Amino acid sequence: MFCLGPGVALFLSACPALRPPVVAPAPAAATRLEVSRVSERGLYLRIPPSPTAAPARLRLERQQGDEPATPLYDLVLSEPQQHAWRQGALELLDPQGVARQNLRYTLLTSPQDASAEGWELSASLETSSRALPAPPSTFDVTSTPEGLLLHWQARPAQRTRLMRRALPADPAEGDAPWEPLADLEPAAGARFLDRSARPGQAYAYIAQHVDDRAPAPHFGPFGPPTYAVAPPQSEPPAP
């Protein structure tokens, strides 16, 4: 997925001299916008595979209710970004799009890379986002002969995602990366037995809740980590 964030976009609020674009109506085979996910970073808009050719330039605006439209991006697409457009792998991040109602996004495109003229209305989307779900509470781990048992307070109708990181015996070795451990549906309950933990290895675990209601999954923040050491390997009984 090719995600564009504020660090690679030109925010028009810093360019008051830019003229408003002259916009043509949308073509019959219009591009679409959809919300792919919402997280602590913001609201992600995805452009699904489009029957239209990749543009040279795009402009994205956000409007909430009756407020004036806020320009978010005015971007000349590179070759990799145009390829991502054709593959349906181009995402646009709105860092301020969390927990907002009555949002309207407007996507304008142009076949030219440096002109205020020739803009075409490619897509618009009306949507809303919710507050992100809180992390699992009372998240803890217990060592058992079968492995490390994670348990927490579940939230109705929300998935639980678990991540794990092995802790080095020598702090000078540095931390290992977080790795996905499990993605549990609500019906799975609020317990998970980590049978893959290596005997004697220390681990850190974190968890988050995911609200899958429309328009897109809302990924809540991870809670604080909990720690445990996997039980040592049991010795076989003496003959």
Side-chain angles (χ1 to χ4, degrees):
M1 189 65 69
F2 203 120
C3 179
L4 302 180
V8 296
L10 173 62
F11 279 82
L12 299 186
S13 58
C15 304
L18 290 176
R19 292 181 295 162
V22 178
V23 180
T31 303
R32 293 188 299 113
L33 272 177
E34 64 184 27
V35 181
S36 62
R37 65 190 184 281
V38 183
S39 73
E40 288 183 290
R41 293 194 62 193
L43 182 147
Y44 290 81
L45 291 166
R46 175 175 172 265
I47 302 172
S50 174
T52 60
R57 187 177 178 186
L58 67 77
R59 176 181 175 124
L60 181 71
E61 297 177 346
R62 179 193 66 226
Q63 184 176 11
Q64 184 174 19
D66 296 328
E67 296 178 0
T70 300
L72 298 179
Y73 293 93
D74 187 342
L75 184 68
V76 175
L77 295 183
S78 65
E79 284 292 337
Q81 291 164 355
Q82 290 183 343
H83 178 73
W85 172 289
R86 291 188 291 269
Q87 298 298 313
L90 185 66
E91 286 187 328
L92 300 167
L93 172 63
D94 178 5
Q96 306 299 321
V98 181
R100 288 199 174 200
Q101 301 295 310
N102 303 318
L103 292 171
R104 180 182 178 87
Y105 292 96
T106 302
L107 179 68
L108 310 175
T109 58
S110 173
Q112 307 172 52
D113 59 11
S115 173
E117 308 296 333
W119 287 101
E120 185 176 82
L121 174 61
S122 288
S124 62
L125 172 68
E126 294 184 2
T127 188
S128 295
S129 63
R130 303 178 295 279
L132 301 178
S137 58
T138 64
F139 182 54
D140 206 353
V141 58
T142 302
S143 179
T144 74
E146 293 78 24
L148 295 175
L149 178 63
L150 300 163
H151 43 92
W152 58 93
Q153 184 68 39
R155 293 176 64 90
Q158 291 183 358
R159 279 190 290 134
T160 304
R161 294 182 69 239
L162 304 174
M163 304 280 283
R164 182 183 74 180
R165 178 163 70 186
L167 302 178
D170 182 358
E173 297 177 10
D175 291 331
W178 288 104
E179 297 178 345
L181 178 63
D183 191 337
L184 306 173
E185 297 296 332
R191 296 161 65 90
F192 179 81
L193 181 61
D194 183 6
R195 299 180 183 272
S196 64
R198 298 192 303 272
Q201 173 67 53
Y203 291 97
Y205 295 91
I206 53 176
Q208 71 176 164
H209 278 137
V210 183
D211 181 350
D212 283 317
R213 290 177 296 165
H218 284 50
F219 291 80
F222 283 98
T226 187
Y227 303 91
V229 178
Q233 193 166 13
S234 58
E235 296 291 336

